[in-house]
Amino acid sequence: MSTFFHNCTLKQKSEIDIKKRFGKAIRRRRRELDLSQEHLAEISGLHRTYISSIERGQRNPSLENIDNLTKALDISISALFANYGIEVEE
């Protein structure tokens, strides 16, 4: 475990974890649709580097941007969360 992660509070760890899980879900769905980050950026109205940072778990996108992404990926927000393992583990 990295020193950074070890020194984070529980709240910070959960925020890092959800951003990483969300990013992985976006990447999986994008790849399923055989879309490049550039194409996803174009159809979602977001910048490619922003999409890249979301997929790496470095960004905490707003609800509006989540909505833009899921529409561009032709999936509902709830289906993305349910089908791609974003829900918080018990």
Side-chain angles (χ1 to χ4, degrees), residues 6 8 10 15-17 24 27 32 34 39-43 45 50 54 57 59-61 68 76 89:
H6 183 69
C8 292
L10 185 57
E15 288 171 0
I16 291 168
D17 187 50
K24 286 180 183 181
R27 179 181 294 127
E32 280 180 2
D34 199 28
H39 190 215
L40 178 56
E42 182 181 313
I43 61 179
Y50 183 72
I54 288 172
R59 291 284 189 148
N60 190 10
N68 290 339
S76 69
E89 298 169 3

Side-chain angles (χ1 to χ4, degrees), residues 19-80:
K19 289 188 291 187
K20 287 189 180 287
R21 287 185 288 140
F22 181 75
K24 286 180 183 181
I26 292 295
R27 179 181 294 127
R28 272 186 56 204
R29 179 63 179 168
R30 176 180 61 78
R31 288 180 174 170
E32 280 180 2
L33 297 174
D34 199 28
L35 297 174
S36 66
Q37 287 180 343
E38 291 82 4
H39 190 215
L40 178 56
E42 182 181 313
I43 61 179
S44 67
L46 302 171
H47 196 274
R48 187 208 54 84
T49 58
Y50 183 72
I51 301 239
S52 175
S53 62
I54 288 172
E55 289 186 356
R56 290 190 316 270
Q58 297 176 329
R59 291 284 189 148
N60 190 10
S62 68
L63 290 173
E64 290 172 342
N65 287 340
I66 291 171
D67 187 53
N68 290 339
L69 284 168
T70 55
K71 285 178 182 172
L73 292 169
D74 195 30
I75 192 169
S76 69
I77 295 171
S78 60
L80 182 75

